[in-house]
Amino acid sequence: MHVTTLVTFHRADNRTYLELALRSFKNQLKDLDGHRLVVATCFQECFVVATEVCKSLGFEYVVAHDPKAIYYSQKMNVAGKYIDDKSDFVFFLQDDVVLSEGCLKHLCEIAKERDLLINPASNADNGSQFFTDLNIQTSKGPLQLQQNMKIEDFDGEEELLFKKISIAPVAIKVPLLATFCTLLKRKIWDELGGFDEEFKTGYEDLDFCMRAAQKHIPCLITLNTFCLHFQSVTANKEINVRRHDPDNQARFKLKWQQWSDTNKY
């Protein structure tokens, strides 16, 4: 299995989160035959930090820098230009996500059997991805994995998240995914043509899933592996992306309302 991982890095002052995410990710590489890491940035200070972190962790990496790639969809498409020709899979990973042991291997094993978009279970975001009744055992007792967590909540024991975390040995089909930790075959990325850049950090992942649904490519959540999502703690504070929510929502509804009313996905 050969994988290219696409990461978006928005804020240089969140180096600690990027390092944690990539350290958890590096633990996955022993299960792969080959790998390329691509980190997309738009600010020069982010480019510098991302380069330092990737180099210090010993990755084969590309830091894809484009000052015009302000929004998530733009960064992902910039990163997508550097997908390795040898890659069987593309993995979307945000800079605020920590993977439990064996997460990527498990996703690949499911995805190689059929065309799909697949996420692990998580503590954050909506619908079937959302589990907040999980605990991990720390030196001070059980810690509940809930929404809006920060590194400080783990009191120096955040590497406990690197261990295997599982809810149940099943996968469930869901209508849509938030693509903060999503695996798909490389050919699906090519077929869908990346993200629609008309969406400005919001709804572009739902649009991506809808375009997959048009091609009869389902979305799945596997409950047999887990990622902790710090949920927008690393979002770009310099740019108020939430101001685009009404426009993003209106665009999504205009684009998909009629199709979703007449199709099952």
Side-chain angles (χ1 to χ4, degrees), residues 4-7 35-41 47 50-51 54-55 59-65 78-79 81-84:
T4 294
T5 297
L6 310 182
V7 179
H35 177 263
R36 172 179 288 176
L37 173 69
V38 185
V39 182
T41 65
F47 172 81
T51 300
C54 291
K55 186 179 294 186
F59 282 108
E60 176 192 345
Y61 71 94
V62 175
V63 177
H65 183 67
V78 167
K81 296 176 182 178
Y82 296 90
I83 294 172
D84 196 315

Side-chain angles (χ1 to χ4, degrees), residues 2 29 59 99 116 119 138 144 155 160 166 188 210 256:
H2 193 291
L29 299 188
F59 282 108
L99 305 174
L116 50 76
N119 279 28
T138 72
Q144 185 178 17
D155 197 21
L160 290 171
S166 176
I188 296 175
M210 293 294 284
W256 292 111

